[in-house]
Amino acid sequence: MKKSFVIPAPSEPGKIEMYSPAYLAACAASGMLSTGLTHTAVTPLDVVKCNMQIDPVKSVISGFGVLVKDQGIQGLFRGWMPTLLGYTLIAHRVLASLDSMNTSRTDVALCPFEAVKVRVQTQPGFAKGLSDGLPKFVKSEGALGRTADKENGYYADTMMKFASFETIVELMYKHAIPTPKEECTSKTFQLGLSFVGGYIDGIFCAIVSHPADNLVSFLNNAEGATVRDAVNKLGVWGFFTRGLPLRIVMIGTLTGAQWGLYDAFKVCFWTVSLAA
């Protein structure tokens, strides 16, 4: 029988017990705020990125210009509602779970929201938003649609976030921070480090999951398309690189903000609101 290497924390008055209902509730609340809000905040970048993936333009600047010219400023925020609800609904389960299989199953719940978001952003006339887009999607493809194709990207992105963040922070403390880790007690400094570590983490996430992200955009824009069609259309190089620079900025920014907000919420909420 394998022995557990987990050492239970001592019971301390005023502290939240690990994996208790209060602990999961705090993870849920902080995850909803950090993940839902950050993904929604970068909606303009996401809209341009998705349109570049299916109809490449000369540059990011021209991508913004074409979109604003054709659809106005409001076009930059198309799909914000499915983004907000989709990532908010799954955030608490992902951030409260250390079980990768449970996390991957949770990501399935995001699939219909992501599919509607991409179609609203890339297919003018498909729908105005979530309220009319989701029923149309469910009617044509079912509640989950082409789940397997979409889930791979979310699984890769989520696993990379959790696999690399702690390692990156530890390496920063070891090689980039002149002050020993145990002496870095400033909450502001720690939260700043969380943002920087999260941004670097986000760059890795963007690179690892980008082929799957290209696939999601292509399949949701071309009815009846297959993976082979996507590779033939985009080319192998394009499959890995189309829209990547903009996505690195987008994912880096939102991942850094996610970890920063998540840690800030824990510091505030756990030590003040839940203190005995």
Side-chain angles (χ1 to χ4, degrees):
M1 181 181 296
K2 294 183 178 180
K3 295 183 179 180
S4 173
F5 289 95
V6 178
I7 301 175
S11 177
E12 300 179 51
K15 300 293 184 180
I16 299 178
E17 181 182 352
M18 188 69 77
Y19 306 122
S20 66
Y23 168 83
L24 295 178
C27 284
S30 56
M32 288 177 185
L33 287 175
S34 63
T35 304
L37 292 180
T38 53
H39 277 82
T40 304
V42 297
T43 296
L45 296 178
D46 192 34
V47 174
V48 175
K49 182 266 300 179
C50 287
N51 279 276
M52 288 180 67
Q53 288 173 326
I54 64 170
D55 185 19
V57 293
K58 294 181 179 179
S59 67
V60 173
I61 295 177
S62 61
F64 276 99
V66 169
L67 192 63
V68 172
K69 181 180 179 181
D70 292 344
Q71 302 181 30
I73 295 296
Q74 65 271 22
L76 294 174
F77 296 91
R78 293 178 65 88
W80 72 269
M81 181 59 77
T83 297
L84 176 62
L85 291 182
Y87 282 96
T88 294
L89 288 174
I90 72 163
H92 72 283
R93 185 68 179 100
V94 173
L95 290 171
S97 175
L98 298 180
D99 185 337
S100 61
M101 291 304 294
N102 285 342
T103 298
S104 68
R105 299 284 78 77
T106 303
D107 282 347
V108 175
L110 178 61
C111 291
F113 293 97
E114 180 72 8
V116 172
K117 174 193 76 71
V118 172
R119 296 184 187 195
V120 168
Q121 291 175 341
T122 62
Q123 297 180 16
F126 169 76
K128 294 181 179 179
L130 182 65
S131 60
D132 57 337
L134 185 59
K136 183 180 292 188
F137 170 78
V138 172
K139 183 178 180 179
S140 64
E141 295 197 29
L144 294 181
R146 302 166 74 164
T147 298
D149 293 330
K150 303 176 185 69
E151 182 185 351
N152 291 333
Y154 311 141
Y155 182 77
D157 182 89
T158 301
M159 291 303 98
M160 177 58 71
K161 282 182 182 178
F162 285 91
S164 61
F165 176 71
E166 294 295 340
T167 300
I168 290 171
V169 172
E170 287 296 325
L171 289 174
M172 289 174 66
Y173 272 117
K174 184 176 181 180
H175 299 290
I177 307 301
T179 306
K181 181 178 180 180
E182 57 274 11
E183 296 180 16
C184 297
T185 58
S186 168
K187 297 300 182 183
T188 302
F189 177 83
Q190 292 175 359
L191 294 177
L193 197 64
S194 292
F195 175 80
V196 174
Y199 200 103
I200 297 172
D201 184 26
I203 294 174
F204 288 114
C205 292
I207 294 172
V208 168
S209 62
H210 193 64
D213 188 72
N214 266 324
L215 183 61
V216 169
S217 296
F218 185 88
L219 294 180
N220 276 296
N221 188 67
E223 186 176 353
T226 65
V227 176
R228 181 186 295 274
D229 295 331
V231 175
N232 290 337
K233 175 70 175 180
L234 300 176
V236 175
W237 178 249
F239 200 66
F240 283 87
T241 62
R242 181 177 291 185
L244 180 59
L246 183 58
R247 189 161 183 264
I248 285 177
V249 174
M250 184 184 87
I251 300 298
T253 301
L254 72 84
T255 303
Q258 277 180 352
W259 285 113
L261 286 172
Y262 183 61
D263 285 350
F265 185 88
K266 288 195 299 182
V267 168
C268 177
F269 187 72
W270 291 23
T271 59
V272 179
S273 300
L274 293 183

